[in-house]
């Protein structure tokens, strides 16, 4: 039996060796054209002999030549699954339905669907907007929100949908320019990501949200610390409308990063203000502050250096007490950010360790609800606007976030789809097949800035138009009027809950009302939070 098994396993190798010998003899006897199959079989024979001798892959040692089929199919498995196997509702991580909706709106194609929903409306988690018997028709769907608190001298009128943070370096120059050109045409904002303002951002001419992360790119001293003069030079650019301090992101909260020297191009070095030939480290934590009070003072300093532009911060919620430490620092210092962007752990344009993507960070719905209610409890919600990011691609996604407490939404992967992303999930390999997430100039040239920028603007316009239709169907005059009671959530086959029960708005100032029993869990964390330190109190 063992001999028969061995013969079967090594039969392909023996076969190609025999065919190589036959092809060579036939070429010598009949025609030299048979040297072509001889070369192919000879190459396979050499490959098979190498397979038997190499120590790295057991499957190749036992199944020479034939074993390579396993690696071939493993390599094309994502494409086979995406194009042939997955259903329209499988989220890997975005469903085909969600991607198709973006493609259709970006291209200006018909986005209607016949024959009813494909959603499983009786499964737990299904959600819907309640509609009115007296719908309203909204003609102007260029919905805006004013961002800027009492200390802001240059408030910004932002669209309800903007491009979320994606850096030049992660995305190609053509992708960045297409996104920003589309933002200019559509009148909405484009977050630079932590890679700072590049020549491709300025070429587009669209409004920018300048993100400052732990690497301080665009505001970085030679030793990696924060440089006030460099920050001022970037933050005061006319194109920069807001400044966003990044504490964490949904893809990998609490995780730093390193850009190897081999991947740093002159253009990336120029944008980030870093030298060529050296690894570029983004620490997990900021060096400009270490306590909640210092963080608020840093926010105030950035606002002053920028000339009074709106300054806020972005984070994915982790330890809830730590966010409350920040809120207490706002009250103690009298310095409040103009906005806070809540990123859900489902956010994911940045490549990250699997454990971080899957098991670290709070999902958007819970994170948004917590931030909104904490600010309400501290009496600060009226001063601070909230943005939401994390798998936002449709008008329903926006409506849900607004109902749960957001003032506007950011989308990263939605706009990536708009410029041609096919969800190949090769973003970290530099082998993006459509030129979006790559620094390979030959791959990037596949992305035409002119046509893709039009798709960006069209996707934004058509999504807000659909949001207007949904708002009108609910009998509301503006998407900002959505409240939790306009949402329904399926809990099980026979049970549903109103949004105001599942995600209630807690009373204003409840964290200071000692007579109330509302928000018990919030109160416990609030009591343990300190503006002086992020460290937990001693037990």
């Amino acid at each position: 039996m063992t001999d028969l098994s061995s013969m079967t396993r090594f039969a392909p190798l023996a076969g190609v060796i025999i065919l190589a010998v036959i092809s060579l003899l036939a070429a010598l006897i009949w025609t030299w054209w048979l040297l072509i199959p001889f070369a192919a079989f000879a190459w396979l024979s050499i490959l098979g002999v190498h397979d038997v001798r190499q120590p790295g892959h057991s499957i190749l040692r036992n199944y020479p030549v034939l074993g390579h089929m396993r690696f071939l199919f493993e390599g094309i498995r994502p494409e086979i699954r995406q194009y042939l196997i997955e259903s329209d509702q499988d989220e890997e991580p975005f469903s085909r339905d969600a991607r198709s909706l973006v493609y259709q709106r970006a291209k200006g194609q018909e986005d209607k669907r016949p024959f009813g929903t494909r959603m499983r409306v009786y499964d737990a988690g299904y959600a819907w907007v309640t509609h009115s018997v007296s719908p309203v028709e909204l003609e102007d769907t260029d919905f805006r929100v004013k961002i800027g608190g009492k200390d802001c001298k240059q408030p910004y009128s932002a669209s309800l949908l903007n491009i979320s943070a994606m850096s030049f370096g992660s995305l190609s120059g053509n992708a960045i320019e297409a996104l920003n050109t589309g933002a200019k045409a559509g009148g909405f904002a484009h977050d630079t990501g932590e890679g700072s303002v590049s020549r491709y951002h300025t070429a587009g001419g669209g409004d920018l949200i300048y993100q400052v992360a732990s690497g301080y790119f665009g505001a970085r001293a030679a030793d990696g610390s924060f440089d006030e003069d460099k920050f001022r030079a970037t933050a005061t650019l006319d194109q920069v409308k807001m400044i966003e301090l990044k504490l964490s992101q949904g893809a990998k909260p609490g995780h730093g990063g390193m850009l190897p020297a081999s991947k740093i191009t002159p253009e990336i070095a120029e944008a980030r203000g870093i030298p060529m030939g050296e690894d570029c480290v983004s620490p997990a934590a900021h060096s400009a502050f270490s306590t909640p009070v210092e963080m608020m003072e840093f926010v105030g300093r950035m606002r002053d250096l920028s000339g009074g532009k709106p300054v806020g911060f972005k984070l994915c919620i982790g330890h809830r007490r730590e966010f409350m430490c920040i809120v207490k620092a706002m009250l103690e210092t009298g310095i409040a950010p103009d906005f806070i962007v809540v990123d859900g752990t489902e956010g994911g344009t940045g490549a990250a360790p699997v454990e971080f993507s899957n098991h670290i960070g709070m999902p958007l719905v819970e994170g948004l609800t917590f931030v909104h209610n904490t600010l309400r409890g501290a009496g600060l919600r009226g001063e601070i606007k909230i943005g939401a990011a994390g798998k936002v691609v449709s008008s329903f996604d926006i409506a849900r976030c607004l109902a749960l407490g957001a003032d506007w939404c950011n989308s990263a992967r939605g706009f990536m789809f708009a410029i041609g992303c096919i969800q190949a999930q090769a973003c970290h390999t530099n082998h993006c097949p459509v030129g979006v997430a790559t620094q390979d100039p030959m791959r990037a040239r596949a992305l035409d800035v002119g046509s893709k920028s039009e798709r960006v603007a069209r996707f934004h316009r058509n999504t807000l138009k659909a949001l207007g239709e949904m708002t009108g169907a609910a009998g509301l005059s503006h998407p900002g009027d959505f409240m939790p009671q306009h949402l329904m959530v399926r809990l099980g086959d026979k049970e549903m809950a109103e949004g105001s029960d599942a995600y209630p708005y807690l009373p204003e100032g409840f964290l200071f009302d000692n007579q109330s029993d509302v928000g018990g869990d919030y109160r416990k964390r609030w009591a343990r939070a300190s503006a002086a330190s992020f460290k937990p109190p001693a037990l």
Side-chain angles (χ1 to χ4, degrees):
M1 180 65 70
T2 302
D3 293 341
L4 180 60
S5 175
S6 297
M7 290 176 60
T8 302
R9 288 189 287 111
F10 289 96
L13 174 57
V16 294
I17 292 175
I18 292 171
L19 289 172
V21 172
I22 293 174
S23 299
L24 177 60
L25 293 175
L28 295 175
I29 296 172
W30 289 301
T31 172
W32 291 103
W33 283 106
L34 290 175
L35 287 177
I36 297 176
F38 163 72
F41 291 128
W43 180 81
L44 289 173
S45 301
I46 295 171
L47 177 65
V49 172
H50 174 266
D51 289 342
V52 173
R53 295 171 58 85
Q54 58 82 36
H57 299 285
S58 299
I59 194 169
L60 296 181
R61 287 172 68 89
N62 274 334
Y63 298 91
V65 182
L66 191 62
H68 287 277
M69 297 295 291
R70 183 258 185 188
F71 297 102
L72 171 64
F73 285 120
E74 186 179 62
I76 63 174
R77 177 181 179 275
E79 287 77 13
I80 292 176
R81 178 177 176 82
Q82 179 170 311
Y83 295 124
L84 301 178
I85 297 175
E86 75 174 28
S87 76
D88 290 335
Q89 295 302 319
D90 287 343
E91 296 189 356
E92 298 286 342
F94 280 83
S95 69
R96 180 174 292 276
D97 272 355
R99 301 196 306 272
S100 295
L101 180 66
V102 177
Y103 297 147
Q104 289 161 353
R105 287 181 174 165
K107 296 175 183 178
Q109 297 175 348
E110 180 65 64
D111 62 356
K112 307 298 187 292
R113 173 175 294 161
F115 230 67
T117 181
R118 299 175 185 173
M119 304 286 288
R120 300 176 67 89
V121 300
Y122 294 102
D123 283 1
Y126 175 73
W128 67 96
V129 168
T130 59
H131 65 280
S132 172
V133 295
S134 301
V136 177
E137 184 174 351
L138 305 181
E139 294 184 1
D140 183 7
T141 58
D142 183 23
F143 302 118
R144 302 252 154 205
V145 58
K146 182 181 177 182
I147 304 174
K150 57 182 177 60
D151 296 322
C152 177
K153 299 176 182 178
Q154 301 184 54
Y156 178 60
S157 178
S159 171
L160 292 196
L161 177 62
N162 301 286
I163 302 173
S164 196
M166 294 178 286
S167 301
F168 168 58
S170 297
L171 267 57
S172 69
N174 281 13
I176 292 293
E177 187 172 346
L179 289 170
N180 197 260
T181 303
K184 172 71 171 178
F188 53 98
H190 178 193
D191 194 314
T192 65
E194 68 175 278
S196 188
V197 180
S198 71
R199 63 177 68 180
Y200 299 103
H201 290 97
T202 56
D207 292 349
L208 293 174
I209 302 170
Y210 169 37
Q211 186 182 91
V212 179
S214 59
Y216 305 118
F217 302 125
R220 181 183 176 96
D223 62 356
S225 62
F226 180 76
D227 186 303
E228 289 191 356
D229 293 333
K230 290 182 179 180
F231 171 80
R232 183 188 292 109
T234 304
T236 55
L237 292 171
D238 290 340
Q239 204 172 334
V240 172
K241 304 301 181 185
M242 300 201 299
I243 292 90
E244 177 183 86
L245 176 67
K246 188 183 86 168
L247 302 182
S248 58
Q249 65 184 86
K252 47 182 177 181
H255 192 281
M258 193 269 286
L259 185 64
S262 60
K263 292 187 177 181
I264 299 175
T265 66
E267 292 172 321
I268 292 175
E270 174 190 60
R272 301 193 178 199
I274 56 177
M276 293 287 294
E278 297 180 16
D279 294 339
C280 178
V281 177
S282 295
H286 280 265
S287 60
F289 56 87
S290 59
T291 69
V293 166
E294 289 177 355
M295 176 183 163
M296 284 302 100
E297 291 172 345
F298 186 63
V299 166
R301 185 158 42 129
M302 288 197 297
R303 186 187 287 126
D304 291 339
L305 292 170
S306 70
K309 292 180 180 180
V311 176
F313 62 88
K314 168 185 174 179
L315 82 169
C316 177
I317 295 296
H319 296 323
R320 286 167 284 179
R321 176 192 53 78
E322 291 183 346
F323 179 75
M324 287 184 164
C325 291
I326 297 172
V327 175
K328 280 195 170 182
M330 297 177 197
L331 296 172
E332 182 173 314
T333 62
I335 301 171
D338 298 290
F339 65 91
I340 297 172
V341 174
V342 182
D343 199 11
T345 192
E346 60 267 50
T349 55
V354 174
E355 292 86 355
F356 276 74
S357 292
N358 290 345
H359 301 294
I360 294 185
M362 187 176 288
L364 175 60
V365 169
E366 287 76 15
L368 173 59
T369 300
F370 174 75
V371 168
H372 173 65
N373 279 326
T374 299
L375 293 178
R376 284 177 64 86
L380 293 171
R381 183 62 184 88
E383 298 181 33
I384 302 171
K385 294 295 190 290
I386 299 178
K391 293 190 80 170
V392 175
V393 297
S394 72
S395 59
F396 173 74
D397 297 334
I398 300 172
R400 181 181 63 173
C401 289
L402 297 179
L404 297 180
D407 293 293
W408 87 90
C409 290
N410 294 334
S411 177
R413 287 170 290 182
F415 283 102
M416 286 178 67
F417 292 143
I419 58 174
C421 171
I422 61 172
Q423 196 171 268
Q425 300 183 64
C427 310
H428 60 299
T429 67
N430 208 34
H431 295 154
C432 175
V434 292
V436 174
T438 181
Q439 294 304 305
D440 183 335
M442 291 303 294
R443 290 178 180 273
R445 69 180 295 276
L447 195 157
D448 179 73
V449 172
S451 63
K452 300 303 184 184
S453 64
E454 292 175 1
R455 292 189 182 187
V456 169
R458 200 179 292 122
F459 166 64
H460 177 269
R461 181 174 63 251
N462 287 335
T463 301
L464 288 191
K465 180 181 177 182
L467 178 63
E469 293 174 346
M470 181 172 284
T471 303
L476 305 175
S477 58
H478 189 276
D481 297 332
F482 275 112
M483 297 289 285
Q485 60 263 30
H486 296 116
L487 287 180
M488 297 294 293
V489 181
R490 174 74 65 188
L491 302 179
D493 289 344
K494 299 179 180 179
E495 190 177 2
M496 62 184 183
E498 188 176 278
S500 55
D501 293 325
Y503 309 106
Y505 283 15
L506 299 183
E508 289 278 354
F510 76 89
L511 290 173
F512 304 117
D513 185 358
N514 295 325
Q515 304 302 316
S516 173
D517 58 357
V518 173
D521 287 343
Y522 283 79
R523 292 171 180 279
K524 292 177 183 177
R525 289 183 176 83
W526 184 256
R528 293 168 48 231
S530 169
S533 175
F534 287 112
K535 296 180 180 179
L539 297 177

